[in-house]
Amino acid sequence: MWLDRRGDQPPHAAPTADARARIALRASHTRHILAAIEGIEDFSALPWDERVVQTRQAMQRGAAAIVGGALEAPAGDHLLRGAPDLLQRWATTSSPGWTYSPVAIVLHTRPARWDRLLLDSWRWLVRHTLGEASDPLGELWLGTNGRGPAFIKRQSASLAAFAAQVRRAAAIAVGEDPMIWFDSDHCPFCPWRTACDAAARETRDIALLPGLSRRQGNALRRYGIHSMDQIVTLDSAILASLPERLPAAGSRLRLQAQALLTNQPLLIGATIPSLPRVRLFLDIESDPRTREPWAFGLAGAPGDRFVIVIEPSFANLDVRIQGIPVIGVRSAQEGWRRVLSAVRATGGALAHWGEAERLMLEQSADPHTCKELAPFMIDAQRELQKRVVLPTPRLSDQRGGGLKAVARWLGWTWSSGADHWTLAWESYQQWQAQLSPAETFAILTPAIIYLAADVEALAAVWSWLDAFVAAVSATGAPQDWRADRDTATSREC
């Protein structure tokens, strides 16, 4: 709001590829859920002003369900606008005999604070539109189960807290420079995101620290601490007073600031534990709607990698796409069994990045495979974070600790046209839609290249970490980390 009022025109920063994909997925999911509801009045094709009028009239006459509704109401000196996913009529004992409940339809199954905030804004607008004395009910429709939502959570808490947030936002809009904060759930959609990136880098703002939570950032700013330079010399008592503090969090926060200011990786402690023996690396692509795996990427020695793709009509066929072996399986369970066979053949641990792969193992592998494979799984992100802090900042389009941020810091690149999960997912869907997938493998090319690049990037990060740890163990201190980086990036993808 502050930038909208004070800035010139928003810089030309379209939503990121990830944000565009999320918009499309959410729209598709919403259409899927709404298709099962009968008697809907849909105003979504109308201009905004006409939608506002038609929505009010439909609510006054008691329409059973409204889609594409538009609500407006003054909030102090501002006009609050909202477009609920669905407005559903509820019977009441008071005149005119009905009221309305807004519905927020979301793809995920765990409501986030912004889901609740958005729903509260619609509840507030419904109350002011109808002139009701009490706060209306709202519903969160979460996930999908057949044609309907998997879970429904009702929201009935007082809207006083929401009204206070609106007043706070209005005060920020007319005040001094607001604080910078990066939220990967929102910033990728914002046209101002590159301006915030530039401002944070210029001022060395604490928002760049990937390990800092929003509550901790707010607490630091209340102490007058806004830059990473202040963090490096910050009093331990202040660090100890921060909310959500974990053991050794204060020293790690200092290290993160120092690493970013010096562009150097820094050791977590005086001693550095040796790394587990890893022989294979795993990366998985999953359906963004169900989180079910559709492809497994595996890499061993440099250049030794293959991809397992789930497609029943392609099962038991082995082909090469861009020189990369591709194996077809009928199901995710069969894919996991193939992964287990590869682990047994190499005789070492299997490294992955983050918690997603282990969660998918528990959810989509058969119990026997899960039990056998789980002890071999090594979270490379956790192993890295136990030993070293890297100079990878949080920015508007990334959290700072992700595989891509770390790999790109090492100099790793992805091929144009196959450099984002959305392109991989689209190519897989297009390939599945073919009448004869076995004869149209070329359509899969972006997916195979992307997944191979991801798993090779993971192997490169591990190779760098292994060399870094070995150098520290041999000399007692880090050597030139760029030499280790050059070694890691010499891996071919």
Side-chain angles (χ1 to χ4, degrees):
M1 288 178 65
W2 193 92
L3 286 167
D4 285 343
R5 293 172 69 98
R6 305 281 185 105
D8 296 326
Q9 291 300 315
H12 298 288
T16 65
D18 185 67
R20 294 195 300 271
R22 286 156 64 185
I23 291 169
L25 285 167
R26 185 180 186 278
S28 174
H29 173 69
T30 302
R31 288 193 300 269
H32 171 73
I33 296 295
L34 293 176
I37 302 175
E38 297 180 354
I40 281 178
E41 295 193 36
D42 189 349
F43 304 133
S44 56
L46 300 176
W48 178 265
D49 290 344
E50 191 173 348
R51 284 172 63 187
V52 172
V53 173
Q54 292 294 334
T55 301
R56 285 180 176 271
Q57 292 177 353
M59 294 172 76
Q60 289 167 1
R61 67 172 181 270
I66 303 168
V67 169
L71 303 175
E72 289 184 347
D77 295 333
H78 299 272
L79 184 66
L80 187 63
R81 291 176 167 176
D85 295 327
L86 174 68
L87 287 166
Q88 57 181 355
R89 186 187 65 199
W90 289 81
T92 65
T93 56
S94 59
S95 179
W98 65 79
T99 186
Y100 281 86
S101 172
V103 174
I105 302 172
V106 296
L107 182 56
H108 43 272
T109 55
R110 291 184 179 180
R113 56 184 173 78
W114 50 89
D115 297 323
R116 298 189 183 282
L117 176 63
L118 180 62
L119 183 58
D120 278 348
S121 74
W122 293 344
R123 292 173 60 211
W124 187 90
L125 284 166
V126 166
R127 175 177 177 176
H128 284 263
T129 299
L130 297 177
E132 295 187 339
S134 58
D135 297 331
L137 179 74
E139 289 187 346
L140 284 167
W141 289 6
L142 303 159
T144 184
N145 181 9
R147 298 185 68 194
F151 307 101
I152 294 179
K153 289 187 178 292
R154 292 189 174 181
Q155 202 156 305
S156 57
S158 168
L159 292 173
F162 168 75
Q165 286 182 293
V166 172
R167 290 193 295 271
R168 179 172 179 270
I172 290 173
V174 298
E176 299 299 322
D177 291 8
M179 73 171 191
I180 298 172
W181 187 257
F182 295 124
D183 191 323
S184 57
D185 287 299
H186 306 290
C187 293
F189 300 88
C190 180
W192 289 109
R193 59 189 176 83
T194 54
C196 292
D197 285 340
R201 289 185 182 278
E202 182 180 352
T203 60
R204 300 180 173 186
D205 196 274
I206 60 174
L208 296 170
L209 292 167
L212 193 67
S213 73
R214 182 188 297 269
R215 289 183 63 200
Q216 290 170 339
N218 288 341
L220 286 172
R221 292 184 196 278
R222 287 194 292 271
Y223 284 118
I225 298 159
H226 302 278
S227 75
M228 293 189 294
D229 303 77
Q230 294 172 286
I231 297 290
V232 173
T233 58
L234 193 59
D235 186 88
S236 297
I238 293 179
L239 287 172
S241 71
L242 295 180
E244 304 168 353
R245 185 177 179 274
L246 299 174
S251 59
R252 187 181 185 93
L253 202 61
R254 283 202 192 98
L255 285 173
Q256 286 179 330
Q258 189 176 347
L260 287 169
L261 291 171
T262 61
N263 192 31
Q264 295 284 335
L266 298 175
L267 297 175
I268 295 296
T271 60
I272 183 166
S274 59
L275 282 172
R277 181 187 180 196
V278 170
R279 290 293 183 85
L280 273 178
F281 301 90
L282 171 70
D283 189 71
I284 298 178
E285 292 303 307
S286 61
D287 185 326
R289 301 162 301 190
T290 65
R291 302 303 178 193
E292 281 285 315
W294 60 263
F296 302 78
L298 285 159
D304 178 16
R305 74 271 196 195
F306 64 96
V307 173
I308 301 168
V309 175
I310 299 171
E311 170 54 48
S313 63
F314 177 46
N316 300 321
L317 291 177
D318 293 352
V319 298
R320 284 183 175 267
I321 297 178
Q322 297 288 304
I324 301 167
V326 181
I327 300 168
V329 295
R330 290 183 175 83
S331 65
Q333 289 190 351
E334 187 179 345
W336 281 114
R337 287 194 289 270
R338 290 270 190 157
V339 172
L340 177 58
S341 296
V343 170
R344 287 170 174 165
T346 56
L350 176 71
H352 56 94
W353 189 269
E355 298 180 347
E357 276 72 16
R358 182 174 287 274
L359 290 173
M360 280 187 273
L361 171 69
E362 295 171 355
Q363 294 168 4
S364 59
D366 63 80
H368 175 75
T369 302
C370 181
K371 183 178 180 180
E372 280 208 42
L373 189 54
F376 292 99
M377 301 275 282
I378 299 292
D379 185 342
Q381 183 181 34
R382 182 181 300 172
E383 295 299 325
L384 185 147
Q385 291 176 346
K386 282 162 48 175
R387 293 163 175 81
V388 65
V389 169
L390 298 181
T392 51
R394 177 190 304 182
L395 293 170
S396 63
D397 63 344
Q398 57 185 259
R399 291 179 172 88
L403 175 60
K404 285 187 172 59
V406 175
R408 285 179 173 137
W409 170 74
L410 286 171
W412 201 260
T413 58
W414 277 255
S415 301
S416 177
D419 55 355
H420 198 270
W421 71 266
T422 57
L423 301 171
W425 172 240
E426 288 168 6
S427 71
Y428 176 68
Q429 288 186 298
Q430 291 170 7
W431 177 65
Q432 277 198 312
Q434 303 303 305
L435 294 176
S436 179
E439 298 175 4
T440 54
F441 293 125
I443 297 175
L444 263 181
T445 300
I448 302 305
I449 292 176
Y450 173 76
L451 186 50
D454 263 9
V455 73
E456 285 280 340
L458 170 58
V461 171
W462 188 268
S463 177
W464 174 84
L465 180 61
D466 192 37
F468 188 79
V469 169
V472 172
S473 299
T475 64
Q479 304 301 303
D480 183 4
W481 61 271
R482 294 175 183 82
D484 297 330
R485 181 182 67 174
D486 294 341
T487 300
T489 55
S490 66
R491 299 176 64 95
E492 294 183 0
C493 174

